[in-house]
Amino acid sequence: MNNRFTMHGSWWRGLGGWNFYFLIKFALLWYGYLNFHALSNLVFLAWLLFPLPGVRLHRLRQWISLPIGVALFWHDTWLPGLHSIMSQGSQLAGFSPSYLLDLANRFINWEMIGAGFVLLVLYLFIAQWIRVTVLVSLMLIWLNVLTIAGPAMNLLPNSAATPTEKLNDTPAAKAPDGLDQSAPPTSANLTAWLNRFYDAERQRATHFTDALPADSQPFDILVINICSLSWSDLNVAQLRNHPLWQHFDILLNNYNSATGYSGPAGIRLLRASCGQSSHSDLYKATDQRCYLFDNLAKLGFKQQLMMDHTGVFGNYLKELREEGNLQAPLMSQAGISPEVTSFDGSPVFNDAQLMQRWLDDRTKSSDARSATFYNLIPLHDGTRELGSTRSADWQPRAKVLFDQLDAFLTNLEKSGRRVMVLVVPEHGAALQGDKMQMSGLRDIPSPDITHVPVGIKFVGMKAPHQGQPLSVETPTSLMAISEIVSRVVDGQVFNAPNVNMSVLTDNLPQTPVVSENDNAVVMMYQGKPWIRLNGGDWVPYPQ
C-alpha cells in the first residue's frame, strides 16, 4: 500500500515551461490585452497536471498540449476567430506583398517581446527556489472563483472605460420604447437588449412622398462615401479644424456608421430608408422601400454611380448591385489619371478630376434631377504613392482629399447648380490601435472606428448661408440620412428666402450605438462600450 502511494506520488509532475505560458497570460490579462476564459484555462491546467505513469506518456502529453495551448492562447486574445480568417482569406490573397509585409511588421510589438523576455528571465531565476506551479495553480483557481462570484467583476487595474471618441458627450436622449437600459449589464440582459433593438429597428422606415408637388424645384443629390475616416482619425492627424468642416450647413457629430468594413457600409447606406439591420440580414432580401436610391428614382432622380477605384476587391461593386440594388452604370474613368496605388496594387484615380467630370456631365445633361453614389478610397490603409512600395502616411493623403473636396464645393457654388452634398464616411481608418486590435485593423467595429463625421451642404440656395454649421449632437445613424433627404426632395429648400437648418434636423430618427461585423458586435450600454465575439458572452470593451 505504501509502495503504491509512493509510486503514484512519483507520477505527479510540475508544469515546467507551461508556468511561463500562464504567467504571460496573467501579465497580458492585467494590462487588458486578453479576453481571458478562466474555466477553459483551468481545465487545460488540470490536463497538464494530471498524474501519468512513465516518461513516455508524459512526453506524449506535452506534444499533444502544444497545439491545444496555441489554440487556447489565440482563443483568449481579441484576434479574429478561424471563421473570420477563413471568410477574409480570399481578400488577404488580394493584398500586395508590400502591404502584407507592412501588416506583419505592425503586428509585432517589440516592446511586448522585450517585456516577455524580462519575464522569462525572472521566472527562470525565481523557479530555483519557489514552486511556481503552486503559485500559478492558486492564481488560476482564484480567477475562476472571481468569475463565478461575479462575471461582471473587472480583473484589470483599469476598468473598461469610455472610448477615446465619446459618442455620448451630450445628455442621454429618452430611450426608444422597449430599449430602456436600466437592467444590470449581464450577458443575458445585453443579448436580450440587442434582440429588442433589432426588433424595434425592423419596424422603422422613412416615409417618402408618392409624387413631387407641381412647384418642386429640381436639384442633384451627391452622396460622397469616404472609406477610412472617423473623428478619432481626424484627432490623431490633427485635421479636425480643416476648412472643409466649416463648409457644411449641417454636421452630424454623433453619427454611428454601424460597421467597420466597406461592403457592409455601402449596403447599409443604400438601405438607409429602413431601420438598422443585423450584419447577417444585410445579405438577405429586404423590403423594397428600404432602398434609398430607389425611393429617389421613383421621384425622378436619375441614379448614378461613381468610384475612384475598380470596385473589384472584396466584390464591392457586386455587393452594391446585389444587396444595395444600385444598378446604375459606373461613370467612366477613362482619361482620369491615377493618383495613388491601392493596398491591392490597383490604381486609385484622381478624385478632383472625377468630381469635375461629374459636374461637367451634369451641366450637359438634360436630366433635371440626379442622385449619385460616389465611393472613394484614397484614405484606405496600405495606400501608397505611385511607384512606391511603402504605405503612405494617412495625414498627407487626408489633407489632399479634404483640399480637393473643399475646392469642389467652392466650384459647385460658382457653377450655380443646385446640389445637396452629403459626406458620409464608411468607417474609420483605425489610425490609433487599442488593446483589442492593432492600428489599421477593423475586424472589431470599435467606437473609434464607427464614430464618423457626417457633413451636409446645400449648394445653390437662394437663402444666405449661416456662418457656422449646425451641429446635431443626438445619437444618429443611417436612417437620419434618409430622413433628411426625404424632407428636402421637393427642392423648396433651394428656393426659400430663408432656411432654418434646425427645422430640417428637428426630431431626426435617433439610433442607439450598435455596430456589427461578421463575428463581432459592439454596443453602448449604460454609457459604456460592450463587445461580443463569435456569439460568446458579452464583456466590457477594454481600454
Side-chain angles (χ1 to χ4, degrees):
M1 184 71 175
N2 290 336
N3 289 338
R4 183 177 297 177
F5 178 80
T6 303
M7 180 180 66
H8 285 185
S10 68
W11 295 352
W12 288 96
R13 294 176 174 86
L15 290 171
W18 289 105
N19 279 311
F20 181 65
Y21 170 88
F22 286 108
L23 288 173
I24 285 287
K25 281 192 173 184
F26 294 158
L28 292 173
L29 174 63
W30 179 258
Y31 287 104
Y33 286 99
L34 285 188
N35 180 27
F36 192 71
H37 298 83
L39 182 58
S40 299
N41 280 272
L42 186 61
V43 171
F44 186 50
L45 177 83
W47 155 259
L48 293 170
L49 288 177
F50 188 81
L52 292 176
V55 176
R56 184 173 294 179
L57 282 178
H58 175 70
R59 288 176 178 171
L60 178 61
R61 176 170 60 186
Q62 295 296 316
W63 284 108
I64 295 174
S65 299
L66 284 173
I68 297 175
V70 171
L72 181 58
F73 206 119
W74 189 282
H75 182 56
D76 280 337
T77 68
W78 300 108
L79 296 170
L82 181 62
H83 179 270
S84 178
I85 294 174
M86 295 292 289
S87 65
Q88 300 293 329
S90 60
Q91 297 195 21
L92 286 173
F95 290 174
S96 65
S98 59
Y99 183 46
L100 288 172
L101 183 62
D102 180 37
L103 288 175
N105 184 55
R106 269 187 268 168
F107 185 79
I108 300 173
N109 188 321
W110 294 107
E111 290 185 359
M112 292 184 69
I113 290 176
F117 176 71
V118 171
L119 182 62
L120 175 62
V121 173
L122 288 174
Y123 159 68
L124 293 174
F125 181 73
I126 294 172
Q128 299 178 82
W129 299 285
I130 299 176
R131 292 179 180 271
V132 181
T133 295
V134 175
L135 294 179
V136 167
S137 301
L138 290 174
M139 176 65 76
L140 199 45
I141 291 171
W142 178 70
L143 289 175
N144 274 271
V145 170
L146 284 179
T147 304
I148 295 171
M153 182 176 294
N154 183 20
L155 305 179
L156 312 181
N158 55 327
S159 62
T162 312
T164 305
E165 275 303 312
K166 297 180 181 179
L167 277 76
N168 285 353
D169 284 342
T170 55
K174 180 180 180 294
D177 291 342
L179 295 180
D180 176 74
Q181 294 189 347
S182 60
T186 64
S187 195
N189 286 342
L190 290 169
T191 298
W193 186 91
L194 180 65
N195 291 335
R196 291 198 302 273
F197 166 78
Y198 283 131
D199 287 342
E201 290 296 294
R202 277 190 280 270
Q203 310 304 317
R204 300 208 297 174
T206 305
H207 173 72
F208 278 83
T209 182
D210 295 330
L212 293 176
D215 61 349
S216 62
Q217 302 296 312
F219 69 102
D220 300 312
I221 297 173
L222 176 60
V223 178
I224 301 178
N225 192 216
I226 304 176
C227 176
S228 303
L229 172 61
S230 71
W231 285 115
S232 175
D233 300 329
L234 289 176
N235 288 338
V236 171
Q238 297 183 338
L239 286 174
R240 194 158 186 160
N241 294 321
H242 189 281
L244 171 66
W245 306 111
Q246 298 300 314
H247 217 139
F248 294 104
D249 297 306
I250 299 169
L251 280 177
L252 303 184
N253 287 336
N254 212 4
Y255 181 94
N256 182 47
S257 68
T259 183
Y261 280 120
S262 297
I267 298 169
R268 288 188 183 280
L269 185 51
L270 292 173
R271 294 185 177 189
S273 294
C274 286
Q276 183 174 322
S277 68
S278 65
H279 177 84
S280 59
D281 283 350
L282 294 177
Y283 298 91
K284 299 176 183 177
T286 189
D287 194 311
Q288 198 67 24
R289 62 179 177 169
C290 296
Y291 298 112
L292 173 59
F293 279 71
D294 277 8
N295 291 329
L296 292 171
K298 293 172 183 176
L299 296 175
F301 289 83
K302 181 183 178 181
Q303 291 188 14
Q304 294 187 318
L305 173 62
M306 183 165 64
M307 298 192 301
D308 65 2
H309 56 104
T310 62
V312 173
F313 184 83
N315 295 317
Y316 177 76
L317 180 57
K318 181 181 179 182
E319 288 193 356
L320 294 188
R321 304 272 193 228
E322 295 180 355
E323 315 301 342
N325 203 30
L326 186 60
Q327 307 303 329
L330 179 62
M331 191 183 81
S332 173
Q333 298 163 339
I336 304 294
S337 59
E339 187 169 27
V340 290
T341 302
S342 182
F343 56 90
D344 63 345
S346 63
V348 179
F349 299 102
N350 186 291
D351 286 290
Q353 296 178 19
L354 282 167
M355 288 185 284
Q356 186 60 48
R357 174 168 291 181
W358 176 88
L359 179 56
D360 293 341
D361 287 352
R362 289 303 302 141
T363 302
K364 299 172 186 176
S365 175
S366 59
D367 297 310
R369 298 173 176 84
S370 70
T372 304
F373 182 88
Y374 175 28
N375 182 258
L376 36 92
I377 64 167
L379 305 186
H380 194 289
D381 190 65
T383 299
R384 54 189 189 270
E385 302 294 338
L386 295 176
S388 173
T389 58
R390 180 179 174 274
S391 294
D393 290 339
W394 189 90
Q395 197 270 358
R397 285 183 281 141
K399 187 178 184 307
V400 168
L401 178 61
F402 295 171
D403 289 344
Q404 290 174 337
L405 290 169
D406 199 42
F408 172 67
L409 291 177
T410 300
N411 289 338
L412 272 184
E413 291 166 342
K414 293 178 181 178
S415 72
R417 292 200 64 83
R418 294 173 171 177
V419 186
M420 180 187 188
V421 180
L422 302 97
V423 172
V424 187
E426 296 177 349
H427 51 70
L431 291 185
Q432 184 170 276
D434 59 26
K435 291 179 179 178
M436 298 197 67
Q437 56 190 355
M438 66 184 187
S439 64
L441 286 190
R442 292 169 280 103
D443 199 68
I444 296 170
S446 69
D448 278 357
I449 292 172
T450 63
H451 183 202
V452 301
V454 172
I456 300 171
K457 173 73 173 177
F458 295 97
V459 179
M461 287 198 308
K462 182 179 294 185
H465 286 277
Q466 53 199 30
Q468 293 289 326
L470 173 68
S471 295
V472 177
E473 304 295 340
T474 52
T476 56
S477 192
L478 295 127
M479 197 171 177
I481 299 294
S482 177
E483 180 65 25
I484 293 176
V485 170
S486 73
R487 294 178 181 183
V488 299
V489 287
D490 62 1
Q492 292 296 345
V493 66
F494 294 94
N495 210 34
N498 291 289
V499 176
N500 187 347
M501 292 296 167
S502 62
V503 174
L504 292 181
T505 59
D506 188 39
N507 292 321
L508 284 178
Q510 296 187 27
T511 305
V513 177
V514 176
S515 304
E516 186 175 1
N517 284 349
D518 189 18
N519 293 300
V521 184
V522 178
M523 69 183 190
M524 298 294 289
Y525 190 87
Q526 296 181 351
K528 295 181 179 180
W530 292 79
I531 177 170
R532 183 180 71 184
L533 292 177
N534 304 308
D537 289 336
W538 291 91
V539 295
Y541 195 100
Q543 294 293 313

